[in-house]
Amino acid sequence: MKKITVAIAGNPNSGKTTVFNALTGMRHHVGNYPGVTVEKKEGACKHEDYEITFVDLPGTYSLTAYSIEEIVARNFIVDEHPDVVVDIVDSSNLERNLYLAVQLMEMNVPLVLAFNMSDLAKSKGMSFDIEQLSQLLEAAIVPMTANKKEGINELLQAVVKTAEAPKKQRTHTIQYGKEIEEELEKIQNTLDSEHDLVTKYGSRWLALKLLEHDKEIWEKGHNKEVLHAVKNSTEHLKIVFDDDPQIMIADRRYGFISGACQESVKHTVETRHDWSDKIDTVMINRVLGIPIFVILMYLLFQLTFFLGQWPMEWMERFFGWLSVNVAALWPAGSESALKSLIVDGIIGGVGGVIVFLPNILLLFLAIAFLEDSGYMARAAFIMDRIMHKIGLHGKSFMPMLIGLGCSVPAIMATRILENRRNRLTTIMIIPLVSCGARLPIYMLIIPAFFANTVLLKFGFLKITMHAFMLWIIYMIGILLAIICARILRSTVFQGETTPFVMELPPYRMPTLKGVVIHMWDRGWMYLKKAGTIILAISIILWAAASYPKVDPKNLEGLSESQIQTEKLRNSIIGGIGHAIEPIIKPIGFDYKIGTALIGALAAKEVFVAQLGIVYSLGESEGTSKALRKKLKADYSPLQGFCIMLFCLISAPCMATIAMTKRETGSWGWAIFQLLGLTTLAYVVTFFAYRIGLLMSV
Amino acid sequence: MADLIGLNKVKPGQTATVVSIKGRSSINKRIADMGVIPGTAIKVNRVAPLGDPIEIIIRGYHLSLRKKEAANIIVELDVK
Ligand SMILES: Nc1nc2c(ncn2[C@@H]2O[C@H](COP(=O)(O)OP(=O)(O)OP(=O)(O)O)[C@@H](O)[C@H]2O)c(=O)[nH]1
């Protein structure tokens, strides 16, 4: 059996994923390209005598060094020498899609063009002279409609044929016109001294990229002579054209495409219904756009949490059942360390994070739906004005919004941001958006200290103290996120704001399969995280909460809940809680709160459970009522408020930190986030407490 | 010859032809890559609810850009 490697390139939204899935079925593997967090999908299929491996390149419009995606796609082709490159072209939007094809031609790769979306092209009244286009572009062309699986077999045949054809130099190269060609030649002549680069990239391509001022190629370190030639040529061309050579090069490429299309694309019917645009007259209407957006986002959350509550309950019951049954493997009352490790450490720790899986999967599902339908781009379009003000990008909005649910998927969602500085800033501030796991803390504290008086009343609409407090906490989080984003963007992540040049793709009805695959790929990543880092941290936190052991003699005569308290007090976590008391005293906390805070590193809502243990309350109904009473006896409302404030801002949970590490590719950023937020929490809470005391609240 | 204006000044519903792209930066390269090059016909389709960015139709597809970037695209309004 012969092996063929195929790279799949294409514009975003051209149907790349659909084609890839149709080719490989569900048998694919998702990972990252080495060194960067750009998703790499690989899959395989058998066709006749061939085993064909497909690698899905990131979706790009061009192959310059504009974004990591473009560099990754380009380098894969140069370094891995795929046998064939398949460019998925949205044939209903041919000109812009062929821009990428032209650049692939210039890289001299064996090319197959998949003219996808044939159905749409047809309904737009377009028809193609495939044979002629194929000759002009020197590539096999396969018309297809991927979502109906039409043309998949033909595509495979074309791939095999192209792979088997003898490699030859292209005869049609894009001609850039006399002036540019002359300068290209001058630059090429100086390149003899850069033998290695020339063998790798080819001298014409290299000269072209240099003239385009391609950052990555430019930084490869060139001889003085070469740089000099490029500089001269650039200046000369600028005078000739009164425009940047870069723009002239793009101009000539589009010129080539127009030429090819003129001869072989016919528009038979002129009238066309732009349904998508009609939908947009409502969806991004100047008046209705924002209300619709707010309602959609509200529904997104309402639905995920409403539908998520049942599976979440099942998961909780399952883990409860699992720990009871696993514990039963030991004789009753056993003090086995292994039992405790498995039941309390592993099942308790990992289970505590995994119960959120249904919610997270539903959130991913909703997001995949918004993405595949095309609304996500509209959301960015609507929000860009506000996001731009704080130094971010319209697309940063979505991750921040997801952060209201859970920071972990929110951090994963920052992948849609092209600019690294933008992305890092967004990742750093996401934990400030109060996530769902912090809600139980507020739910415990607010009723403990504040009576639910009615503050304002408009007819049947009431604003009560509890709702108001909750609102204040969320607002503080968002406000801090905005301030931090601004500060980060003007210090650590300083630099040009990303331009907002974004396609608004036509609306499409998402397919169930497409949406489910999207959801599953991300859900799987989350699970893998739970399986590795979260497991490790769970075990560490378990050990810290159970060692050193208390001498059993000291526990005699104590009730079960008092024993728990004694054990925790004696443990490393309890020790840390005590040790940090002097540090947290200035912000109004004692060792009990300190102990619970350390426990909350596992997951924010653990704070409540830990506090229950500190106060010797068994896990029974009405725990929170009893706990509230105790809290009220021990602390002032100001301290209560400070607890919420600190929980809101301080160190995110371990799953978040693990995800930050993964998505930024370095522990450095994860630790920066951990320490930065904790310091911020300390400072803010300190001032809140001190000012509160002065004003004797 | 009609007046040359920045694309940001073109009102929704109006059509224009690109004359040149000012300034030089990676942004302009990006804009050119997306097909906004001299000689191309552009229609400004609408403005975002908050007043920025704008949506244009070019080469049969919809593209959005901020007014700041649009200001660098010099166009000539089409006469009706
Ligand atoms: N009408 C039509 N729709 C298609 C065709 N191929 C794909 N689609 C739909 O187009 C949408 C986008 O397809 P994807 O496969 O997600 O596109 P992609 O290029 O991977 O896009 P990104 O994931 O954004 O990079 C989906 O809703 C598909 O169902 C086609 O041939 N005809």
Side-chain angles (χ1 to χ4, degrees):
Chain A
M1 199 171 282
K2 283 194 187 167
K3 290 195 165 149
I4 301 178
T5 310
V6 178
I8 301 184
N11 280 188
N13 273 300
S14 57
K16 253 157 52 62
T17 313
T18 314
V19 174
F20 181 83
N21 290 337
L23 287 168
T24 63
M26 291 293 274
R27 287 156 295 148
H28 69 258
H29 165 84
V30 188
N32 280 347
Y33 284 91
V36 289
T37 48
V38 176
E39 205 167 272
K40 180 185 186 184
K41 273 209 226 173
E42 257 185 70
C45 86
K46 291 202 171 64
H47 178 75
E48 292 165 6
D49 273 344
Y50 299 88
E51 182 166 329
I52 312 178
T53 306
F54 295 95
V55 177
D56 194 19
L57 299 179
T60 61
Y61 294 105
S62 173
L63 288 177
T64 52
Y66 176 76
S67 62
I68 330 173
E69 280 79 7
E70 295 190 1
I71 296 177
V72 164
R74 191 164 87 183
N75 286 348
F76 184 86
I77 294 172
V78 175
D79 297 334
E80 310 290 324
H81 299 290
D83 299 309
V84 180
V85 176
V86 172
D87 180 10
I88 312 294
V89 169
D90 173 358
S91 58
S92 69
N93 183 3
L94 197 59
E95 281 190 31
R96 201 209 58 219
N97 273 262
L98 284 181
Y99 190 73
L100 179 68
V102 163
Q103 292 181 66
L104 289 167
M105 284 170 63
E106 288 185 315
M107 293 183 79
N108 214 7
V109 291
L111 189 63
V112 173
L113 299 177
F115 271 32
N116 195 29
M117 312 260 177
S118 294
D119 53 334
L120 294 180
K122 204 169 159 196
S123 71
K124 267 189 173 182
M126 293 165 83
S127 66
F128 310 107
D129 184 340
I130 297 285
E131 197 146 325
Q132 193 173 22
L133 264 177
S134 173
Q135 264 170 20
L136 284 168
L137 303 172
E138 287 181 75
I141 296 180
V142 183
M144 56 192 305
T145 305
N147 60 346
K148 296 194 194 98
K149 294 223 157 90
E150 285 169 25
I152 298 293
N153 222 22
E154 289 82 347
L155 180 63
L156 285 169
Q157 263 151 18
V159 164
V160 168
K161 205 169 155 203
T162 309
E164 289 294 348
K167 259 206 161 192
K168 55 173 200 272
Q169 201 66 23
R170 285 176 184 278
T171 43
H172 297 196
T173 41
I174 292 128
Q175 291 302 310
Y176 287 94
K178 188 167 154 283
E179 275 85 5
I180 297 180
E181 288 294 337
E182 272 173 22
E183 300 307 319
L184 281 175
E185 204 175 312
K186 279 186 206 158
I187 299 173
Q188 263 174 287
N189 286 339
T190 64
L191 282 172
D192 291 339
S193 53
E194 300 191 348
H195 188 72
D196 289 353
L197 286 177
V198 171
T199 36
K200 190 168 176 193
Y201 296 105
S203 66
R204 184 180 167 88
W205 193 81
L206 213 52
L208 200 54
K209 285 292 144 184
L210 285 168
L211 201 54
E212 281 187 282
H213 284 252
D214 185 277
K215 230 171 89 203
E216 204 215 359
I217 297 297
W218 198 253
E219 282 164 5
K220 294 243 182 248
H222 297 282
N223 294 333
K224 262 219 187 83
E225 198 195 348
V226 177
L227 294 177
H228 191 71
V230 176
K231 203 166 149 237
N232 277 347
S233 298
T234 309
E235 258 149 38
H236 172 72
L237 290 173
K238 258 182 140 163
I239 295 168
V240 174
F241 293 118
D242 195 24
D243 242 329
D244 252 338
Q246 308 179 1
I247 291 168
M248 293 321 293
I249 289 171
D251 183 274
R252 293 294 136 83
R253 285 189 188 132
Y254 272 107
F256 174 84
I257 294 168
S258 298
C261 290
Q262 210 144 40
E263 291 179 39
S264 36
V265 181
K266 281 202 184 67
H267 293 263
T268 41
V269 214
E270 263 312 308
T271 51
R272 61 187 183 92
H273 300 284
D274 196 343
W275 286 112
S276 195
D277 194 51
K278 293 226 169 70
I279 298 173
D280 265 344
T281 51
V282 181
M283 297 303 272
I284 46 180
N285 181 287
R286 286 210 77 156
V287 182
L288 295 175
I290 291 177
I292 291 176
F293 172 73
V294 171
I295 291 170
L296 277 177
M297 295 306 119
Y298 177 76
L299 282 178
L300 174 95
F301 273 95
Q302 218 33 45
L303 270 178
T304 47
F305 285 96
F306 178 72
L307 294 178
Q309 61 189 355
W310 292 291
M312 187 161 170
E313 228 181 275
W314 302 332
M315 297 282 274
E316 271 171 0
R317 259 192 247 151
F318 169 75
F319 280 106
W321 171 87
L322 192 67
S323 58
V324 168
N325 279 282
V326 171
L329 295 176
W330 280 268
S334 157
E335 283 290 319
S336 156
L338 185 65
K339 171 188 157 191
S340 171
L341 168 66
I342 294 177
V343 175
D344 304 331
I346 298 178
I347 300 180
V350 176
V353 178
I354 294 201
V355 290
F356 288 106
L357 189 67
N359 273 325
I360 289 181
L361 282 183
L362 278 166
L363 203 57
F364 284 155
L365 189 73
I367 293 164
F369 186 87
L370 288 180
E371 257 174 4
D372 287 8
S373 67
Y375 187 74
M376 211 59 125
R378 273 76 185 179
F381 181 69
I382 291 174
M383 291 309 292
D384 184 65
R385 179 94 197 242
I386 295 175
M387 300 310 290
H388 186 46
K389 281 234 159 71
I390 60 175
L392 295 176
H393 189 277
K395 285 188 195 164
S396 296
F397 180 77
M398 225 358 109
M400 286 177 71
L401 186 83
I402 296 167
L404 281 174
C406 176
S407 305
V408 175
I411 290 173
M412 282 166 64
T414 58
R415 290 186 172 205
I416 51 170
L417 300 170
E418 286 150 2
N419 177 293
R420 180 158 170 88
R421 273 171 264 130
N422 229 324
R423 181 154 180 238
L424 283 173
T425 311
T426 313
I427 290 177
M428 292 302 146
I429 63 165
I430 276 173
L432 287 169
V433 180
S434 191
C435 71
R438 276 171 261 193
L439 203 55
I441 305 177
Y442 311 144
M443 290 311 195
L444 174 77
I445 304 273
I446 294 177
F449 295 101
F450 306 97
N452 201 12
T453 46
V454 175
L455 298 177
L456 271 175
K457 208 172 160 182
F458 311 97
F460 62 92
L461 257 180
K462 284 186 296 195
I463 296 179
T464 61
M465 188 64 183
H466 286 180
F468 179 69
M469 289 301 296
L470 199 58
W471 185 80
I472 291 269
I473 287 287
Y474 273 86
M475 280 302 134
I476 291 175
I478 291 167
L479 206 69
L480 282 172
I482 291 173
I483 295 170
C484 288
R486 290 223 63 152
I487 293 175
L488 287 173
R489 281 297 272 148
S490 51
T491 54
V492 196
F493 303 124
Q494 203 173 9
E496 219 182 301
T497 52
T498 353
F500 187 86
V501 182
M502 186 188 69
E503 186 188 358
L504 291 173
Y507 285 106
R508 294 209 177 95
M509 195 59 208
T511 59
L512 185 65
K513 192 174 163 205
V515 171
V516 168
I517 289 177
H518 265 153
M519 173 192 83
W520 183 244
D521 283 348
R522 290 180 192 152
W524 180 237
M525 232 169 7
Y526 176 78
L527 269 178
K528 270 203 293 205
K529 202 80 271 165
T532 52
I533 294 188
I534 296 175
L535 175 66
I537 303 181
S538 294
I539 293 174
I540 294 173
L541 280 172
W542 164 80
S546 6
Y547 290 94
K549 287 259 183 259
V550 187
D551 188 347
K553 267 184 276 169
N554 296 345
L555 296 175
E556 270 163 34
L558 294 180
S559 73
E560 178 57 28
S561 54
Q562 282 169 322
I563 292 178
Q564 294 291 336
T565 312
E566 201 47 40
K567 280 184 176 168
L568 185 62
R569 210 171 60 87
N570 199 51
S571 69
I572 298 176
I573 286 193
I576 298 175
H578 273 284
I580 61 173
E581 192 166 22
I583 307 173
I584 57 179
K585 197 127 215 162
I587 58 174
F589 299 170
D590 58 11
Y591 79 91
K592 293 178 192 150
I593 308 273
T595 308
L597 282 174
I598 303 289
L601 277 175
K604 286 276 176 183
E605 76 284 2
V606 170
F607 180 85
V608 176
Q610 290 266 356
L611 216 52
I613 298 176
V614 175
Y615 277 106
S616 304
L617 296 166
E619 280 202 34
S620 58
E621 282 303 314
T623 313
S624 39
K625 257 200 190 132
L627 190 52
R628 285 193 192 115
K629 251 194 203 139
K630 299 230 174 191
L631 286 175
K632 193 161 186 202
D634 274 9
Y635 309 104
S636 68
L638 176 62
Q639 281 169 315
F641 182 76
C642 287
I643 293 172
M644 291 195 288
L645 205 55
F646 195 84
C647 286
L648 165 71
I649 311 168
S650 72
C653 69
M654 61 177 179
T656 305
I657 295 168
M659 197 44 87
T660 300
K661 189 258 153 188
R662 188 203 147 99
E663 291 296 305
T664 56
S666 91
W667 277 110
W669 290 123
I671 291 167
F672 174 77
Q673 182 178 47
L674 176 77
L675 297 182
L677 288 174
T678 308
T679 312
L680 180 70
Y682 190 86
V683 172
V684 171
T685 315
F686 177 84
F687 280 104
Y689 186 57
R690 291 293 142 183
I691 292 170
L693 281 184
L694 283 179
M695 293 175 8
S696 52
V697 187
Chain B
M1 196 162 134
D3 282 346
L4 299 185
I5 55 173
L7 181 63
N8 59 325
K9 297 268 165 56
V10 180
K11 293 195 182 59
Q14 283 183 322
T15 54
T17 308
V18 180
V19 175
S20 68
I21 302 175
K22 270 199 316 198
R24 80 161 274 166
S25 65
S26 60
I27 303 177
N28 293 346
K29 171 91 174 71
R30 173 65 163 190
I31 289 173
D33 276 350
M34 298 299 280
V36 183
I37 45 177
T40 320
I42 286 188
K43 178 180 176 195
V44 174
N45 203 33
R46 59 171 67 83
V47 179
L50 296 171
D52 199 20
I54 61 171
E55 178 195 332
I56 63 172
I57 301 180
I58 182 163
R59 293 178 193 275
Y61 80 98
H62 296 245
L63 182 72
S64 63
L65 15 98
R66 290 196 189 120
K67 283 188 171 162
K68 197 173 117 219
E69 281 123 35
N72 283 334
I73 303 172
I74 307 300
V75 299
E76 187 185 335
L77 275 184
D78 290 350
V79 275
K80 294 225 176 73

